[in-house]
Amino acid sequence: MKAYRGVDNVIRMFRPDLNMKRMNDGATRASLPNFEGKEFIKCLQKLISIDKEWVPYSTSSTLYIRPTFIGTEPSLGVNISGKALLFAILSPVGPYFQTGSFSPVKLMADPRYVRAFKGGPGDCKLGGNYAPTIMVQQEAAKLGCQQALWLYGDQHQLTEVGTMNIFMYWKNTQGEIELVTPPLDGLILPGVTRKSLLELAKKWNEFKVTERTFTMADVMKALKDGRVLEMFGAGTACVVCPVGSILYGGQTLEIPTMSEGAPIASRFFKELTDIQFGRTKSNWTLDVE
Ligand SMILES: *Cc1c(COP(=O)(O)O)cnc(C)c1O
């Protein structure tokens, strides 16, 4: 999560209730006890209020909040921990994008690597899901890519971008303008940003909004037909992150996200950051004090 210092100097959190719910789901998956999300939010409000000078006086930098939950039973067995520690780490973080530039990323899509699988814990923010991705991230960097595009299954379904959910804005095979993102089928992390973008798009009610599986073959066909309009990742770190190209099967697929300046991604970015920094009032935020 992050704490945002608004243009009115009020410090806000963004949908902390959803983060608490997700963390409790992860705790259940890891055999850690559940906790009262509302009470932990109160602790975070107090902590951030004490450390409020660490929340940057900026609408591009924020205070990153990393709630953490670990088993602390002093035993070596693979068993339920009788003791657990719930705590939060805070750190100021700078802007994700250099000011003014909404720079697109190049993705490495290598089906040899799998982030999550059916029945696994890939839909939980468990530390063990992330350590094995660092090597893949290094590999991507060696190939001049900024992130991994995580594929799944024989059909090479697109699931996530690095630690972001993925969205494609396109003209579908029926000729309808559609925003599509993979469904919550256990293979993806249920992002708060993802949920918020879906809710915003449904409220705009200007194009079809669909949670559905899509594959690299769908993307390549649509690119060939000129039907891909924008592709972007979505997550707390960057809000939205435009995709410029995908390295796949030894070929670089150019994604025309920036050709018209990414109007949909930009609009999501503006609407969410307006809420986070208090330029638009919303019940999605909670004041720290
Ligand atoms: C954290 C995370 C996201 C984004 O979730 P937000 O709640 O929007 O920040 C997406 N995918 C993965 C794998 C993540 O770890």
Side-chain angles (χ1 to χ4, degrees):
M1 289 195 285
K2 284 175 167 183
Y4 308 82
R5 187 181 293 276
V7 289
D8 50 3
N9 207 28
V10 173
I11 298 170
R12 295 176 176 83
M13 287 189 268
F14 184 71
R15 310 190 82 173
D17 50 321
L18 296 180
N19 280 277
M20 293 299 111
K21 165 79 173 62
R22 183 170 75 196
M23 197 169 180
N24 264 315
D25 291 343
T28 301
R29 192 68 174 79
S31 296
L32 288 166
N34 280 162
F35 58 92
E36 275 299 332
K38 279 203 174 77
E39 292 303 312
F40 192 51
I41 291 172
K42 283 188 208 162
C43 297
L44 290 174
Q45 284 172 303
K46 186 70 189 174
L47 175 63
I48 296 161
S49 153
I50 291 167
D51 274 340
K52 64 183 167 215
E53 289 310 307
W54 286 103
V55 185
Y57 286 80
S58 160
T59 53
S60 54
S61 301
T62 55
L63 184 73
Y64 196 80
I65 309 166
R66 171 68 57 83
T68 311
F69 204 9
I70 56 172
T72 53
E73 173 96 28
S75 131
L76 294 176
V78 178
N79 218 325
I80 291 184
S81 185
K83 292 180 181 171
L85 186 65
L86 177 62
F87 58 99
I89 300 167
L90 306 180
S91 171
V93 287
Y96 195 87
F97 299 107
Q98 309 281 47
T99 27
S101 80
F102 200 38
S103 46
V105 291
K106 180 171 180 183
L107 308 180
M108 177 191 78
D110 187 335
R112 287 181 302 161
Y113 301 113
V114 175
R115 193 198 78 90
F117 46 90
K118 288 270 163 82
D123 56 354
C124 297
K125 256 193 207 291
L126 298 184
N129 287 338
Y130 298 89
T133 66
I134 297 169
M135 187 198 90
V136 182
Q137 176 66 36
Q138 298 292 104
E139 185 119 333
K142 261 189 244 151
L143 296 170
C145 299
Q146 286 81 39
Q147 301 276 341
L149 172 59
W150 297 103
L151 304 178
Y152 180 79
D154 294 341
Q155 303 303 313
H156 298 173
Q157 299 171 25
L158 288 79
T159 62
E160 305 214 52
V161 181
T163 57
M164 292 180 283
N165 294 117
I166 189 164
F167 283 82
M168 183 164 70
Y169 182 65
W170 71 328
K171 189 186 275 186
N172 67 22
T173 47
Q174 279 85 55
E176 302 160 309
I177 300 294
E178 181 182 53
L179 180 70
V180 57
T181 194
L184 299 179
D185 58 1
L187 293 177
I188 68 162
L189 200 286
V192 174
T193 315
R194 173 188 179 279
K195 181 175 168 67
S196 303
L197 299 193
L198 288 173
E199 289 172 15
L200 279 178
K202 284 176 189 161
K203 192 184 76 181
W204 297 344
N205 196 23
E206 293 171 23
F207 45 79
K208 194 168 175 184
V209 179
T210 311
E211 292 172 65
R212 161 163 50 79
T213 293
F214 57 103
T215 65
M216 284 306 298
D218 295 333
V219 172
M220 288 199 293
K221 175 79 169 66
L223 283 172
K224 200 159 154 264
D225 297 350
R227 289 184 285 108
V228 178
L229 302 171
E230 296 178 37
M231 192 183 284
F232 47 90
T236 298
C238 63
V239 185
V240 293
C241 175
V243 173
S245 58
I246 303 174
L247 180 60
Y248 174 67
Q251 200 188 340
T252 298
L253 308 172
E254 297 296 337
I255 312 294
T257 307
M258 297 309 294
S259 68
E260 309 282 336
I264 294 299
S266 308
R267 189 168 164 198
F268 279 132
F269 182 81
K270 180 171 189 310
E271 289 222 5
L272 271 202
T273 52
D274 279 352
I275 291 170
Q276 290 162 344
F277 291 100
R279 289 183 292 251
T280 304
K281 294 286 166 249
S282 163
N283 59 10
W284 282 355
T285 60
L286 178 70
D287 294 356
V288 161
E289 49 177 17

